[in-house]
Amino acid sequence: MKRYLYRMALLTLLFTSCSKALEVNPKGTLNEDQVATPEQAEGFVIAAYSQLGNDEINRAFSMYQYGNVRADDAYKGGGGISDGDVFHAMEIFTTSRPDQWNYDGIWFNIYVGIRRANEGLRVLNKFTEAQMPLLNTRKAELRFLRGYWYLMVENLFKNIPYIDENLPSDDYKLEPNNKYTRDQILDKIAADFEFAANTLPATQSQIGRANKYAAYAFLAKTRLFQAYKQDEKHNVTSIDAQKLQQVVDAANAVLASGYKLQPDFGNNFVSGSFENGSEAIMSVQFSSNDGAGRGRVNYGDMLTVPQGIGCCDFQKPSQNLANAYKTGANGVPLLDTYSQQNVDYANNTVDPRLDHTISRPGSPWKYDPMRVVTEAWSRNIPIYGTYNSMKENVSPDCDCFINVAPFFGNTKARIMVRLADVMLFKAEALIELGRPMEALPIINEIRTRASNSTSRLVKANGQPTSKYYVQPYTPGVNIDWNLDNARKALRFERRLEMALEGERFFDLVRWGIADKVMNDFFNVEKPSRSIYQNARFTKGRDEYLPIPQNQIFWSENRYVQNPGY
């Protein structure tokens, strides 16, 4: 008994000592109430920016799962259906559930970004311009970041709680997700971008900070989504001409700046001197050997690296997307018939953007004729095929290619918005305003750039990788440029230009055609793709993700679930 009591006393002493040793306040941290200098306030702004790069492997801000895999541009990929099964549920829609961990994860991570922006704004409100000369610029940067996060979460979930810097963080859970309509939330997002556009400088001395043209670009994007009015079941009920004109005005501000299309389409998607180039209006910056663990590596796209050079062969470009790049004898896309037959690379002419976007066995990887893609680069050919996604990936010879075993990431900057995107915003608005002739030269400028983007696309013998032929649209020659055809051409051009950049699904929802496009896609794919045997897009539900069940629990049931879930 004495030995027992001795041991218990010793354990109690050790536990008490350890507990006291662990009761140490965090070092190197700062809360809002402790901020006393502008230098400390700057740290809150940097913390808000840092969330742009705080990607996780399966909760990607790159939007590849949410914008490409949910659309007709890509299959989930990986080892099979059970490898990342929640993303398979997303791509077939029928088994998508509110309790999926990835929905909760991306909601949480986005609201971390919103909270950081709000905290920074509260801190900055303690200072005057005399104390902090860059005060209004920093406020504008934070409002830009907040607008960016809100536009992302709004397009993912629609019915969301809107929280600004005036609500204490402890009260976040008290804010319901049905207080504001979609239109009201988009107005609040637009107000942040308008403030940023009117306040930020035209250029910033530090790469990665938002400038006024980045704000105008996202203002144009916000107003474009807002122009397409939706009812509670996500049907597009009308298109607001006033909002379309605001898209044109904001886009014009960007087009009048110094940003230019890259002369070669591929320049946008390589590392090194072309990063943050003439077309990239705003980009997320990544790094290595920076003192932050394994570095600020792009974790969000890490799984899309082909198996032949890394891991894990997710985001497999669809056959449907590859077929869309075929061109006819007149040099323009086969707008109505492209999916009737698979592209024949030996005989069909194609748009060069195909080989900048999709790799296939026998073609060079990332413009290196000596590194040829093989079928061994794909993990599950019977299900997902042999195409690989190129834009977000890099050459394994690049010092930006980082081994984060068993995965491989990279530090190439990820473009958030580029000039071609903004040009297409404007062209779309002009067409919906009934002014298709004004949109024609914008679309043709992008097509002409595509036609000229062939110098990188060669094999080891110097021959072109594919047979390239692209012509501009010429009314009366290769197209009847009426309103319907202009709309069809614009939407097709957006797909070719922005493929696998996370935009496709959100475009389909904006246009109100997601159900038709996706169900047509499933019907074509089912005979050859077992993954789609039970796939079906349900109109009025699948345009948006379910509100995560964990967030409903956290809000103590203040959040209302989206229709159909």
Side-chain angles (χ1 to χ4, degrees):
M1 178 63 71
K2 288 181 179 179
R3 286 197 299 270
Y4 173 78
L5 291 173
Y6 174 78
R7 288 170 182 167
M8 290 300 298
L10 181 61
L11 288 171
T12 301
L13 177 63
L14 288 170
F15 178 78
T16 303
S17 300
C18 289
S19 296
K20 289 181 178 179
L22 292 173
E23 290 173 3
V24 178
N25 290 327
K27 297 183 183 299
T29 63
L30 197 67
N31 64 43
E32 296 173 40
D33 296 330
Q34 294 173 313
V35 175
T37 68
E39 290 74 22
Q40 292 172 332
E42 286 278 6
F44 278 79
V45 181
I46 294 170
Y49 271 110
S50 74
Q51 185 64 2
L52 293 175
N54 284 348
D55 260 10
E56 297 181 34
I57 289 178
N58 282 322
R59 298 163 185 173
F61 298 147
S62 72
M63 291 287 102
Y64 87 80
Q65 298 111 328
Y66 299 93
N68 304 333
V69 171
R70 275 202 298 166
D72 50 354
D73 275 7
Y75 314 125
K76 174 186 72 70
I81 289 174
S82 62
D83 188 9
D85 58 340
V86 291
F87 301 108
H88 174 65
M90 288 168 55
E91 73 178 337
I92 66 170
F93 295 97
T94 51
T95 56
S96 178
R97 306 184 318 274
D99 63 347
Q100 288 184 200
W101 58 263
N102 60 312
Y103 297 160
D104 181 54
I106 197 163
W107 173 293
F108 175 81
N109 282 348
I110 291 173
Y111 272 98
V112 168
I114 291 168
R115 176 173 174 169
R116 289 188 181 190
N118 286 336
E119 288 173 343
L121 287 166
R122 283 197 297 271
V123 166
L124 292 179
N125 284 336
K126 298 178 179 181
F127 297 96
T128 65
E129 282 191 83
Q131 296 170 309
M132 189 175 181
L134 290 176
L135 177 66
N136 287 330
T137 295
R138 297 297 183 246
K139 285 184 177 180
E141 290 176 52
L142 289 170
R143 292 189 64 175
F144 170 89
L145 292 170
R146 183 172 68 184
Y148 172 78
W149 291 123
Y150 268 123
L151 185 60
M152 181 183 290
V153 74
E154 170 64 24
N155 283 340
L156 287 168
F157 296 98
K158 187 176 182 178
N159 296 307
I160 60 171
Y162 187 90
I163 300 158
D164 64 16
E165 72 273 23
N166 297 311
L167 188 70
S169 58
D170 289 343
D171 294 340
Y172 276 19
K173 65 162 44 176
L174 305 179
E175 196 71 6
N177 72 324
N178 59 357
K179 181 176 180 179
Y180 299 107
T181 66
R182 171 180 179 267
D183 195 56
Q184 289 171 326
I185 289 172
L186 288 169
D187 256 339
K188 291 177 179 292
I189 295 169
D192 275 347
F193 288 133
E194 285 177 335
F195 178 84
N198 292 328
T199 308
L200 288 172
T203 59
Q204 294 266 30
S205 60
Q206 292 178 310
I207 294 174
R209 289 190 185 270
N211 62 29
K212 72 165 52 262
Y213 301 116
Y216 273 123
F218 278 100
L219 176 59
K221 185 173 187 176
T222 303
R223 291 304 192 192
L224 187 60
F225 276 94
Q226 191 178 19
Y228 293 78
K229 302 300 181 184
Q230 293 182 5
D231 63 18
E232 292 182 356
K233 291 296 184 72
H234 320 320
N235 297 298
V236 174
T237 57
S238 62
I239 303 179
D240 188 324
Q242 183 180 12
K243 294 293 185 292
L244 292 174
Q245 186 56 52
Q246 291 173 341
V247 174
V248 174
D249 294 341
N252 281 341
V254 179
L255 298 178
S257 69
Y259 291 97
K260 303 292 182 185
L261 290 180
Q262 288 280 2
D264 190 305
F265 179 74
N267 291 357
N268 291 300
F269 311 110
V270 292
S271 58
S273 61
F274 289 108
E275 291 180 71
N276 302 296
S278 64
E279 190 171 338
I281 300 170
M282 180 74 182
S283 300
V284 181
Q285 308 300 307
F286 297 101
S287 58
S288 62
N289 300 319
D290 53 10
R294 291 172 293 190
R296 298 282 293 170
V297 179
N298 179 357
Y299 281 80
D301 292 312
M302 193 174 283
L303 292 182
T304 74
V305 178
Q307 195 71 8
I309 57 172
C311 179
C312 294
D313 198 36
F314 279 73
Q315 183 170 232
K316 301 289 282 182
S318 70
Q319 185 64 57
N320 184 279
L321 175 61
N323 293 343
Y325 285 99
K326 289 186 293 185
T327 57
N330 55 10
V332 298
L334 307 176
L335 299 176
D336 298 310
T337 62
Y338 75 94
S339 64
Q340 292 180 358
Q341 290 184 322
N342 290 344
V343 56
D344 178 349
Y345 296 100
N347 296 301
N348 293 144
T349 58
V350 298
D351 187 312
R353 288 174 288 189
L354 167 66
D355 289 326
H356 290 288
T357 305
I358 302 172
S359 81
R360 65 183 188 277
S363 66
W365 175 252
K366 292 302 284 191
Y367 318 121
D368 181 357
M370 305 311 295
R371 180 173 277 110
V372 178
V373 179
T374 71
E375 289 191 355
W377 289 36
S378 297
R379 292 174 66 188
N380 196 324
I381 295 173
I383 296 180
Y384 301 120
T386 58
Y387 291 142
N388 302 110
S389 174
M390 290 184 66
K391 285 182 175 178
E392 75 279 13
N393 280 304
V394 300
S395 167
D397 295 330
C398 180
D399 59 6
C400 63
F401 192 55
I402 309 297
N403 185 348
V404 189
F407 309 111
F408 288 79
N410 66 68
T411 59
K412 177 166 67 73
R414 180 198 297 146
I415 298 175
M416 296 163 61
V417 64
R418 57 187 177 90
L419 186 64
D421 201 7
V422 178
M423 292 170 68
L424 291 169
F425 293 159
K426 180 180 177 180
E428 181 178 335
L430 289 170
I431 289 169
E432 298 303 334
L433 284 168
R435 296 152 58 183
M437 291 307 297
E438 294 179 56
L440 180 60
I442 300 173
I443 296 171
N444 278 343
E445 184 177 353
I446 291 172
R447 290 188 60 75
T448 299
R449 191 267 294 272
S451 179
N452 294 332
S453 300
T454 59
S455 62
R456 296 176 182 270
L457 306 177
V458 293
K459 299 179 180 179
N461 61 6
Q463 294 300 306
T465 305
S466 302
K467 298 175 67 174
Y468 304 119
Y469 184 52
V470 172
Q471 291 293 305
Y473 288 108
T474 306
V477 176
N478 56 22
I479 195 169
D480 179 8
W481 197 254
N482 56 40
L483 190 60
D484 288 340
N485 283 344
R487 179 182 293 115
K488 188 182 299 183
L490 176 280
R491 292 178 178 182
F492 214 90
E493 199 66 28
R494 268 200 71 81
R495 188 183 191 190
L496 301 180
E497 179 71 18
M498 304 303 300
L500 305 183
E501 294 183 50
E503 298 292 331
R504 174 66 171 170
F505 183 80
F506 305 109
D507 287 345
L508 297 177
V509 172
R510 180 174 74 253
W511 299 328
I513 61 173
D515 61 316
K516 176 172 175 31
V517 169
M518 292 309 300
N519 285 326
D520 286 350
F521 170 68
F522 293 147
N523 289 336
V524 171
E525 292 277 329
K526 281 180 181 180
S528 59
R529 300 287 173 193
S530 60
I531 55 175
Y532 291 133
Q533 296 311 302
N534 299 315
R536 184 181 70 256
F537 186 101
T538 300
K539 186 173 176 60
R541 184 193 72 174
D542 292 329
E543 288 85 353
Y544 295 92
L545 300 175
I547 305 302
Q549 190 61 51
N550 276 350
Q551 298 301 321
I552 294 176
F553 290 150
W554 178 77
S555 73
E556 298 174 353
N557 292 317
R558 292 180 180 88
Y559 293 170
V560 177
Q561 186 54 268
N562 280 336
Y565 291 102

